């Protein structure tokens, strides 16, 4: 990814620190990326692609005409401590699946969960039939 970012920076005449500032990333994000740190995800990745006038697909090494995998657009919630332990375990396992299997898992989970509650409705848990 670092090479693709550098290529876009050169083409646009942007300094890495300026691009980082515009995308809401640390000024040394490119050095961090080269050192093996994980690339930006979610909205920061989208913002970086916008600053570099390219697509997220291109930045992650895919054909620019192919949609990026959903996981690169998701925020990394586990690192923010927003997920319970079982949710983190499920997410880690999910991320190891190929895209068709992920789609099947999501379909199964949605069917098992039933219809989505209407906006503003409060779902009661543990109030089953007796």
């Amino acid at each position: 990814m670092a090479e693709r970012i550098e290529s876009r920076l050169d083409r646009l005449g942007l300094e890495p620190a300026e691009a980082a500032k515009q995308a809401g990333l640390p000024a040394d994000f490119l050095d961090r990326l080269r050192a093996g740190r994980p690339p930006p995800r979610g909205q920061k990745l989208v913002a970086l692609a916008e600053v570099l006038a390219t697509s997220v697909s291109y930045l992650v090494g895919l054909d620019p005409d192919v949609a990026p995998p959903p996981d690169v657009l998701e925020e990394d919630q586990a690192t923010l401590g927003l997920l319970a332990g079982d949710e983190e375990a499920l997410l880690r396992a999910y991320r190891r699946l190929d895209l068709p299997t992920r789609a099947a898992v999501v379909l199964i989970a949605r069917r098992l969960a039933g219809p989505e509650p209407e906006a503003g409705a409060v779902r009661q848990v543990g109030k089953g039939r007796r």
Side-chain angles (χ1 to χ4, degrees):
M1 181 185 281
E3 293 82 21
R4 288 182 292 280
I5 292 170
E6 288 172 335
S7 172
R8 295 301 303 161
L9 289 169
D10 288 343
R11 182 171 212 143
L12 297 170
L14 278 173
E15 292 295 321
E18 178 59 29
K21 180 181 176 184
Q22 290 179 27
L25 294 166
D28 65 344
F29 89 96
L30 194 52
D31 292 331
R32 293 179 182 192
L33 192 59
R34 283 191 211 108
R37 298 283 290 276
R41 298 174 52 91
Q43 289 303 311
K44 289 185 180 181
L45 181 59
V46 171
L48 179 60
E50 289 174 3
V51 167
L52 297 175
T54 192
S55 67
V56 171
S57 293
Y58 171 78
L59 289 181
V60 298
L62 298 173
D63 180 331
D65 295 328
V66 174
D71 62 318
V72 300
L73 298 176
E74 294 172 354
E75 299 298 329
D76 195 2
Q77 294 177 348
T79 62
L80 300 175
L82 300 176
L83 300 176
D86 61 333
E87 293 170 324
E88 285 188 38
L90 181 61
L91 184 56
R92 280 193 303 274
Y94 174 81
R95 287 180 175 160
R96 290 192 306 267
L97 302 173
D98 59 37
L99 288 178
T101 306
R102 285 182 181 188
V105 167
V106 169
L107 181 64
I108 291 167
R110 285 183 176 155
R111 287 188 179 163
L112 288 172
E116 299 239 357
E118 294 180 23
V122 177
R123 186 175 180 186
Q124 293 185 353
V125 178
K127 300 278 184 175
R129 294 183 194 153
R130 294 184 186 191

